[in-house]
Amino acid sequence: MAEYMCLFHKDTLIIKSPKKSPLFLRTVVFLFAVVCGIYVCTVCLKQLTTVTKVQFQNFQVIENPTPDSNIIEQIEAQIPSLHYPKPETFSRGECTQNPVRFFSILSMQRSGSGWFETLLNSHINISSNGEIFFPVDRRKNISTIIQTLDRVYSLDWFNSASKNECSAAVGFKWMLNQGLMVNHKEIVEYFNHWGVSVVFLFRRNLLRRMVSLLANSYDRYAKLLNGTHKSHVHSQEEAAALSRYKPIINLTSLISDLKEVEMDAVKAIKYFNSTRHMVLYYEDLITNNTKLEDVQEFLGIPKMELTSRQVKIHKGPLSDFVKNWDDVVKTLNGTQYVNFLEADY
């Protein structure tokens, strides 16, 4: 019996292999898991890094655009300043809360400013008070100029053009040689402080202006219309009577005179460039009806059809109104002013 068991034991030893240690197996599994984990993490990390790099490469930082100061200035320049005057000489009544815009027409004699002003005054809400600085005492120094401006813009200036409490835009015309250029620094400061809109009105054909100026100066003393002098007329008969006078143009100073007037206009625009302004030309107002709409928009008032009773005096080719025309042609040929010889309207 003891021998059998031994044999059985021997058989058992022979048939059944001895069991391996559990610690060894656990170590192998752990190492396998670690290797797999490292591999998986390495692959994923590479993929993540690649995606992240692509995402950052495609990502752009868009900053909020800073406002362009020039654009802001342009927008502000399109909006006329509003005022609520409190005149001392009358009450605006129901119109107390109605805003008023201030303007000034800067021009030269015989450049169409009188006709232009009659057009403006045909608007029910515009009061353009004429050539207020024609009297010397109103422009003898900057103090008298400021006092006059204050009266106009407070609505305390009265003439046939004044619409008083109904005014939505109030102003006047100012010739360059009436204290304007001499005191331009103080006047620009005043205009900018009170938001006065400036309308430059010039004439392109300076030769036509010269003819008109000479004819008007002659009539000031000759008084061709029944002993009266009129700078502007309202009938074809009166216009024909005044246009019969043919001035003789001084050829010696013709070029220099034209150049001087041209430079005065350039200088005026330069002096008042910082103001809210627009530049008009007499010829454009005659040939382009939309220019008057532009003016009304610039002044910030409702658009209306503007009319004038004034009649043009020198209508037609200049050769009909200059006594020494042939000599004028010879003088201007080959110069920058030769185009003034042509009929432009």
Side-chain angles (χ1 to χ4, degrees):
M1 187 68 179
E3 183 180 356
Y4 176 76
M5 291 182 62
C6 182
L7 291 172
F8 177 76
H9 181 67
K10 289 180 179 179
D11 292 342
T12 304
L13 292 174
I14 294 171
I15 296 172
K16 294 182 180 179
S17 59
K19 294 181 179 180
K20 295 182 179 180
S21 172
L23 179 61
F24 174 76
L25 293 176
R26 290 177 183 174
T27 302
V28 171
V29 172
F30 174 76
L31 291 174
F32 179 76
V34 170
V35 171
C36 291
I38 293 173
Y39 174 77
V40 172
C41 291
T42 303
V43 173
C44 293
L45 183 60
K46 288 182 179 179
Q47 292 179 349
L48 181 61
T49 304
T50 303
V51 173
T52 305
K53 286 182 179 179
V54 173
Q55 288 179 341
F56 273 100
Q57 287 175 354
N58 294 331
F59 182 73
Q60 296 179 356
V61 178
I62 303 177
E63 297 179 355
N64 292 328
T66 56
D68 190 335
S69 59
N70 291 331
I71 295 177
I72 295 176
E73 290 176 1
Q74 291 174 7
I75 294 175
E76 291 178 347
Q78 297 173 4
I79 306 173
S81 299
L82 303 180
H83 304 275
Y84 300 87
K86 297 180 179 179
E88 297 179 357
T89 52
F90 72 96
S91 172
R92 295 190 71 201
E94 296 179 353
C95 297
T96 301
Q97 299 303 317
N98 290 359
V100 179
R101 285 83 170 173
F102 298 163
F103 70 90
S104 180
I105 306 166
L106 308 190
S107 186
M108 303 180 190
Q109 287 83 354
R110 313 310 297 177
S111 295
S113 60
W115 168 68
F116 177 63
E117 197 172 39
T118 60
L119 288 169
L120 293 184
N121 280 321
S122 68
H123 195 290
I124 60 174
N125 299 122
I126 299 180
S127 298
S128 193
N129 293 282
E131 202 169 325
I132 64 173
F133 286 108
F134 180 77
V136 179
D137 61 323
R138 295 176 187 164
R139 50 182 163 96
K140 60 184 178 181
N141 54 52
I142 190 61
S143 296
T144 58
I145 289 175
I146 297 299
Q147 290 173 6
T148 304
L149 292 175
D150 287 345
R151 283 183 59 195
V152 171
Y153 293 131
S154 66
L155 303 184
D156 284 317
W157 192 274
F158 297 102
N159 59 26
S160 59
S162 302
K163 297 181 175 67
N164 300 334
E165 64 271 8
C166 297
S167 294
V170 60
F172 60 96
K173 63 177 183 176
W174 200 345
M175 303 296 105
L176 301 188
N177 61 353
Q178 294 176 348
L180 182 67
M181 303 292 277
V182 177
N183 301 282
H184 68 90
K185 291 183 179 179
E186 295 86 353
I187 295 169
V188 166
E189 184 178 351
Y190 182 96
F191 280 3
N192 286 332
H193 177 73
W194 291 106
V196 178
S197 299
V198 172
V199 179
F200 289 104
L201 177 59
F202 298 124
R203 201 163 184 168
R204 282 199 177 94
N205 195 325
L206 302 180
L207 184 61
R208 280 188 173 271
R209 175 186 177 272
M210 180 181 290
V211 171
S212 179
L213 193 64
L214 292 172
N216 185 67
S217 297
Y218 174 78
D219 186 67
R220 192 179 300 276
Y221 302 100
K223 297 181 174 58
L224 299 176
L225 297 177
N226 299 321
T228 60
H229 167 63
K230 290 185 178 181
S231 296
H232 309 99
V233 296
H234 299 92
S235 70
Q236 295 293 344
E237 293 76 18
E238 290 178 327
L242 293 180
S243 64
R244 291 191 190 102
Y245 170 71
K246 296 184 178 183
I248 297 176
I249 294 179
N250 186 340
L251 302 176
T252 304
S253 63
L254 176 57
I255 300 295
S256 60
D257 290 343
L258 293 175
K259 186 172 295 185
E260 182 180 357
V261 175
E262 189 176 50
M263 292 309 299
D264 284 344
V266 172
K267 194 181 298 182
I269 295 176
K270 178 182 178 181
Y271 285 166
F272 289 83
N273 188 52
S274 65
T275 64
R276 180 179 183 270
H277 66 274
M278 70 180 301
V279 181
L280 291 176
Y281 290 96
Y282 174 70
E283 290 83 354
D284 294 339
L285 288 172
I286 291 179
T287 58
N288 189 349
N289 292 331
T290 62
K291 287 296 180 181
L292 291 176
E293 295 182 2
D294 294 341
V295 173
Q296 295 177 75
E297 183 177 350
F298 176 72
L299 296 179
I301 56 176
K303 295 180 182 179
M304 291 182 55
E305 182 178 356
L306 307 181
T307 59
S308 174
R309 294 177 53 242
Q310 281 194 16
V311 176
K312 186 171 176 57
I313 297 174
H314 297 98
K315 189 175 183 179
L318 267 179
S319 56
D320 294 343
F321 308 111
V322 179
K323 196 167 186 178
N324 58 339
W325 178 251
D326 291 339
D327 294 329
V328 170
V329 173
K330 293 178 182 178
T331 303
L332 295 185
N333 270 334
T335 71
Q336 65 192 83
Y337 305 115
V338 64
N339 60 311
F340 292 166
L341 301 172
E342 303 172 1
D344 45 14
Y345 49 83

